[in-house]
Amino acid sequence: MLLIAGTSCAKDDSEPTDPRSEPTASSSSSSTPTSPSDAATAAATETIANYYAVRNELRHDPTKPLSRLASVAISTELSTQQTLFKRERKQGLYQVGETKVVEVKVESVNLDNSDPQAGKVPTVQVDVCFDVSDVDVLDADGKSVVTPNRPDTGWIRYSVSNYEWDSDPDGAWRVASSQDIERTPCDA
């Protein structure tokens, strides 16, 4: 159920985040990137972790401003997530538990920045396996709206892009789009 699949939260310097709720990505590296491609991979992986953190936070607390999504998403992904969250909030839905990032697989890195106005910007395509086994979505009465046959894990392919590459090659990465993909379930 995509309603639950994209649950996340990211750090915002203005508000503390419980470090226990921070997702971890399996392909992140603790060493310093050695090439622009390595740096883009590390930035995209960190962006995915932050994206899930922000989504978890916004789902847990419907009073948090949806403007926080702009710190982790851009383009069609930002519009899609804003629409989803507005609909969920209007329905009185909220989340308990955390969606976790189980696995991150970088599929491609393209650092072409030849036409940012047309969307030709540096992009890292990553496949993410998420785990929602500890997540429930409740209505205003506290009743679960999750279907009993919901899978605990699933895969989503993300395009993580940097529309400000010329001025901020390291810090302006955002999730630009996503698509559910069929893949063998990962181990949660």
Side-chain angles (χ1 to χ4, degrees):
M1 178 175 186
L2 188 54
L3 169 76
I4 296 167
T7 27
S8 315
C9 287
K11 287 190 176 181
D12 179 336
D13 293 332
S14 65
E15 298 179 45
T17 302
D18 184 346
R20 294 170 296 169
S21 68
E22 288 298 312
T24 57
S26 64
S27 66
S28 61
S29 172
S30 60
S31 62
T32 304
T34 57
S35 71
S37 181
D38 289 343
T41 295
T45 301
E46 181 179 349
T47 298
I48 290 295
N50 290 338
Y51 173 83
Y52 274 84
V54 166
R55 295 193 75 245
N56 276 328
E57 182 180 333
L58 293 175
R59 278 224 166 100
H60 287 158
D61 185 353
T63 65
K64 298 252 182 190
L66 293 182
S67 59
R68 304 235 6 224
L69 287 167
S71 70
V72 292
I74 197 166
S75 189
T76 58
E77 187 69 12
L78 178 59
S79 299
T80 300
Q81 294 305 311
Q82 288 170 330
T83 299
L84 173 66
F85 275 90
K86 287 175 186 174
R87 183 176 65 239
E88 289 177 351
R89 287 178 174 194
K90 187 175 183 179
Q91 294 172 349
L93 302 178
Y94 64 97
Q95 173 182 310
V96 293
E98 300 284 323
T99 299
K100 297 177 184 112
V101 174
V102 177
E103 193 171 338
V104 176
K105 291 187 175 193
V106 174
E107 298 297 325
S108 66
V109 177
N110 182 343
L111 299 180
D112 181 1
N113 194 42
S114 62
D115 194 355
Q117 298 298 341
K120 277 195 169 187
V121 295
T123 299
V124 178
Q125 187 177 78
V126 294
D127 291 353
V128 173
C129 182
F130 60 88
D131 174 10
V132 292
S133 58
D134 293 331
V135 172
D136 201 355
V137 177
L138 307 175
D139 65 16
D141 296 326
K143 294 181 183 171
S144 178
V145 299
V146 175
T147 60
N149 58 349
R150 172 195 75 184
D152 287 341
T153 63
W155 286 92
I156 300 178
R157 177 165 290 160
Y158 292 99
S159 291
V160 182
S161 300
N162 187 332
Y163 283 79
E164 299 174 29
W165 178 261
D166 288 337
S167 62
D168 192 0
D170 299 321
W173 293 91
R174 305 286 185 272
V175 176
S177 66
S178 64
Q179 175 183 344
D180 291 341
I181 56 174
E182 292 295 323
R183 201 168 189 170
T184 305
C186 61
D187 295 327

